[in-house]
Amino acid sequence: MVSTPTVFTATTTLFIGSPVSADSAGAYAGDLFGQQRAVSYAHLFTSDDLATKVIDDLSLELTPAELIAQVSARQLPKTVLLEVSATDPAAQRAADIANAYAANFAAYVARLETPAVGNQSVAKISVVRTATAPATPSSPGAPMYLGGGLVLGAALGGLAQWALSRRARRAAPAADTPAPTPRRNGPPREAGTGSHRAAPAVRRAEPRNNRLDAEGPEFATQQLPRAGGRTHG
């Protein structure tokens, strides 16, 4: 019996804002700006610098690569919201990782988006929902009975093979049996008549024709009667 590890997932949500504009056209442009930024910002969560900052804040015994593998981010479709999820075998630590990423990400973006001239970032990151420790695991550590599964699989495979071989044995005699010979009800009929006696008559006439051929023309001449008299042997 093998048990899979239990994993908990905690999620936080970020809002991507832009410089406030008084008119509606500016608000619409700001919304488009936030949506485009959210798509790009989702890729920043694979940064080693950001992962290192979170590891230092939480004193995690993980490498940046290991922590990055536990974190994912995605833009909610057609919104300026960014959803960040963290997984861990411990529920509270999963929530701590997600919240630490949210706090450090705001400062990380501010550093990236602040222009060289001026002191205001073109984007503002706000946390609209903090992560809490999940009550139930996202990937339960359900036991897997591998031994029983292997035995059951072998038994089913053997049963299927036995059924196929039995079917093949049943089908084999039928394939080897020769086709029955058509039964003839009688001698062939002569074309144009309904009598069966025409064919034997032809066969009986053949010896006489063969005798004449064998004896030659002299024998045929001797058998012919002379004019006005009897034939002498």
Side-chain angles (χ1 to χ4, degrees):
M1 183 178 69
V2 179
S3 181
T4 58
T6 302
V7 175
F8 293 88
T9 302
T11 302
T12 182
T13 305
L14 307 178
F15 177 86
I16 313 299
S18 60
V20 180
S21 177
D23 57 0
S24 59
Y28 177 74
D31 185 70
L32 290 179
F33 172 85
Q35 291 185 34
Q36 294 172 357
R37 279 296 193 274
V39 175
S40 300
Y41 288 167
H43 298 284
L44 296 179
F45 285 86
T46 60
S47 169
D48 287 344
D49 294 341
L50 188 59
T52 300
K53 188 66 174 67
V54 173
I55 290 172
D56 293 342
D57 289 350
L58 300 178
S59 300
L60 300 176
E61 295 182 355
L62 297 172
T63 64
E66 291 173 340
L67 181 59
I68 291 171
Q70 296 181 210
V71 178
S72 62
R74 70 182 186 95
Q75 178 213 17
L76 298 182
K78 298 182 180 180
T79 69
V80 294
L81 299 178
L82 193 63
E83 194 175 71
V84 182
S85 299
T87 60
D88 196 84
Q92 186 57 53
R93 188 164 64 177
D96 292 341
I97 292 174
N99 290 328
Y101 258 98
N104 284 280
F105 187 71
Y108 185 69
V109 169
R111 188 169 66 250
L112 293 176
E113 295 284 19
T114 300
V117 178
N119 56 3
Q120 184 178 2
S121 174
V122 296
K124 183 179 180 181
I125 309 299
S126 304
V127 179
V128 296
R129 189 184 69 175
T130 58
T132 58
T136 56
S138 56
S139 177
M144 297 183 299
Y145 296 92
L146 297 180
L150 292 176
V151 173
L152 180 60
L156 292 177
L159 181 62
Q161 185 176 5
W162 174 81
L164 290 175
S165 61
R166 184 178 181 184
R167 181 179 298 179
R169 287 195 299 270
R170 287 182 177 181
D176 297 338
T177 303
T181 303
R183 183 177 179 181
R184 299 181 60 181
N185 296 328
R189 297 182 178 183
E190 185 177 0
T193 66
S195 174
H196 294 284
R197 298 178 181 179
V202 173
R203 286 196 297 270
R204 285 196 298 269
E206 290 177 0
R208 289 198 294 267
N209 296 336
N210 293 339
R211 182 182 176 185
L212 292 175
D213 294 340
E215 295 294 339
E218 296 180 357
F219 177 79
T221 305
Q222 294 175 4
Q223 298 298 324
L224 296 175
R226 296 181 179 177
R230 300 175 59 184
T231 303
H232 297 281

